[in-house]
């Protein structure tokens, strides 16, 4: 929420933080009551700072004073984060900036250099997918046009990378491992938007990469395996997702034993 820069990645991070915080604050009236109390009473003072006698004797020359100030600062920041008016303003500002910065193609650049960046576009749309999955209402109706435009751009990029396998590798064997991180990230991103039906061409290429997951998942690092497990599960390939999950569990046990 407090990121100071204006790149599209951090603009979306502000949108994400404010959308999620607003959703939490509105989920239960008692939550907002607590933060209003923090803003309007000395609850913003840490317990240590409230005890003036102890403070004067004990903490002026010790790190406890810094700890007390840190606790107070944390409460202030949390109360500020959950201020509904501020959240709504920041949310609207970030959403408008994302709309303005989206290119006609549906892509976003990263640092405002107006060059489309596939990764940051996938990152933003994946974030919208996370919010939708959490049921965050502020991420739906008004952001749908942005999402649809971006999905159209990303589908095209997904197709092009697949075609480039043959274009730049005339003798490429499609049975060998061609699942790049970018294509895997696309599959993960696309799994949040099943209601946005892909074209027949996209579907066929997705099937190809799903077969690559089945064959080559064991060679990938942990983070990629996590995405592969989710992609397989959401495509109803429970056999592959179960294999990956079992592998992750075995790895976690092994690492724990080594650590011990």
């Amino acid at each position: 929420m407090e990121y100071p820069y204006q790149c599209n990645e951090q603009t979306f991070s502000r949108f994400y933080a404010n959308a999620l915080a607003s959703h939490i604050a509105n989920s239960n009236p008692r939550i907002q009551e607590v933060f209003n109390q923090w803003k309007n009473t000395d609850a913003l003072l840490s317990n240590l700072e409230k005890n003036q006698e102890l403070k004067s004797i004990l903490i002026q020359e010790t790190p406890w004073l810094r700890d007390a100030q840190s606790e107070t600062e944390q409460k202030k920041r949390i109360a500020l984060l959950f201020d509904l008016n501020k959240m709504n303003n920041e949310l609207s500002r970030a959403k408008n900036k994302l709309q303005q910065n989206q290119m006609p193609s549906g892509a976003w650049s990263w640092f405002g250099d107006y060059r489309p960046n596939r990764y940051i576009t996938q990152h933003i749309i994946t974030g919208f997918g996370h919010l939708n999955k959490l049921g965050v209402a502020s991420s739906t109706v008004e952001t749908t046009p942005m999402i649809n435009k971006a999905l159209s751009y990303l589908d095209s990029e997904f197709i092009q990378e697949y075609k480039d396998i043959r274009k730049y590798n005339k003798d490429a064997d499609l049975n060998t491992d061609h699942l790049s991180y970018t294509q895997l990230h696309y599959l993960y991103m696309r799994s949040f938007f099943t209601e946005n039906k892909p074209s027949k061409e996209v579907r066929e290429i997705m099937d190809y990469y799903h077969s690559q997951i089945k064959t080559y998942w064991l060679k990938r690092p942990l983070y990629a395996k996590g995405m592969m497990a989710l992609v397989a599960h959401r495509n109803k390939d429970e056999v592959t997702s179960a294999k990956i999950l079992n592998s992750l569990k075995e790895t976690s046990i092994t690492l724990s034993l080594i650590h011990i």
Side-chain angles (χ1 to χ4, degrees):
M1 185 181 184
E2 296 177 339
Y3 281 164
Y5 305 111
Q6 297 301 314
C7 65
N8 286 314
E9 178 199 15
Q10 294 195 8
T11 298
F12 178 74
S13 292
R14 286 192 290 274
F15 177 91
Y16 189 99
N18 282 284
L20 194 55
S22 179
H23 177 72
I24 293 169
N26 284 301
S27 66
N28 188 319
R30 179 59 183 150
I31 295 175
Q32 194 58 42
E33 288 176 18
V34 169
F35 294 125
N36 287 337
Q37 289 173 8
W38 282 17
K39 288 187 293 184
N40 299 323
T41 72
D42 69 348
L44 281 173
L45 295 175
S46 73
N47 293 329
L48 196 57
E49 285 177 297
K50 291 176 191 177
N51 189 327
Q52 291 299 316
E53 182 179 0
L54 180 62
K55 175 181 175 180
S56 62
I57 295 173
L58 180 64
I59 67 177
Q60 290 293 345
E61 302 299 329
T62 73
W64 288 104
L65 178 58
R66 291 195 298 273
D67 291 343
Q69 291 172 335
S70 176
E71 183 183 340
T72 298
E73 185 64 23
Q74 287 174 8
K75 288 182 178 179
K76 287 179 180 177
R77 288 177 182 273
I78 292 171
L80 181 63
L81 173 64
F82 284 93
D83 182 285
L84 286 173
N85 289 329
K86 184 177 189 301
M87 284 190 294
N88 289 334
N89 290 335
E90 291 291 335
L91 187 63
S92 179
R93 188 177 296 113
K95 181 199 67 181
N96 290 337
K97 188 169 182 60
L98 286 171
Q99 289 174 329
Q100 293 168 9
N101 289 353
Q102 190 174 28
M103 301 176 182
S105 66
W108 280 278
S109 64
W110 199 324
F111 291 103
D113 55 8
Y114 303 105
R115 289 181 294 180
N117 186 290
R118 180 183 173 187
Y119 172 77
I120 199 60
T121 303
Q122 286 184 178
H123 171 77
I124 290 171
I125 298 304
T126 301
F128 280 128
H130 289 163
L131 291 173
N132 291 343
K133 194 83 170 175
L134 291 168
V136 177
S138 56
S139 67
T140 53
V141 177
E142 294 182 345
T143 59
T144 296
M146 278 194 288
I147 293 170
N148 290 339
K149 284 176 62 177
L151 285 175
S152 179
Y153 161 77
L154 292 171
D155 285 352
S156 297
E157 291 294 301
F158 178 68
I159 292 170
Q160 189 58 52
E161 181 170 333
Y162 172 77
K163 290 181 175 179
D164 285 346
I165 296 173
R166 283 291 178 80
K167 181 178 179 180
Y168 297 108
N169 300 275
K170 298 297 184 182
D171 301 320
D173 180 0
L174 290 179
N175 291 320
T176 58
D177 188 354
H178 293 287
L179 180 57
S180 69
Y181 176 81
T182 305
Q183 296 292 72
L184 174 58
H185 188 231
Y186 167 91
L187 294 175
Y188 173 65
M189 175 278 300
R190 206 62 170 81
S191 71
F192 286 101
F193 300 98
T194 54
E195 71 281 4
N196 300 78
K197 300 296 183 184
S199 68
K200 181 182 178 183
E201 184 177 19
V202 169
R203 184 71 255 176
E204 289 174 350
I205 299 172
M206 290 173 74
D207 289 342
Y208 164 72
Y209 283 115
H210 289 151
S211 70
Q212 293 259 294
I213 289 176
K214 292 179 184 179
T215 305
Y216 297 109
W217 66 265
L218 192 58
K219 297 167 53 179
R220 299 311 171 92
L222 294 176
Y223 187 72
K225 286 178 181 175
M227 283 196 291
M228 288 177 169
L230 283 165
V231 169
H233 171 71
R234 291 172 183 173
N235 282 275
K236 298 181 170 43
D237 181 1
E238 302 300 340
V239 173
T240 301
S241 63
K243 287 180 180 178
I244 298 172
L245 287 174
N246 287 335
S247 174
L248 291 173
K249 290 175 182 177
E250 291 171 0
T251 304
S252 66
I253 292 169
T254 301
L255 291 175
S256 296
L257 290 173
I258 292 173
H259 180 70
I260 291 170

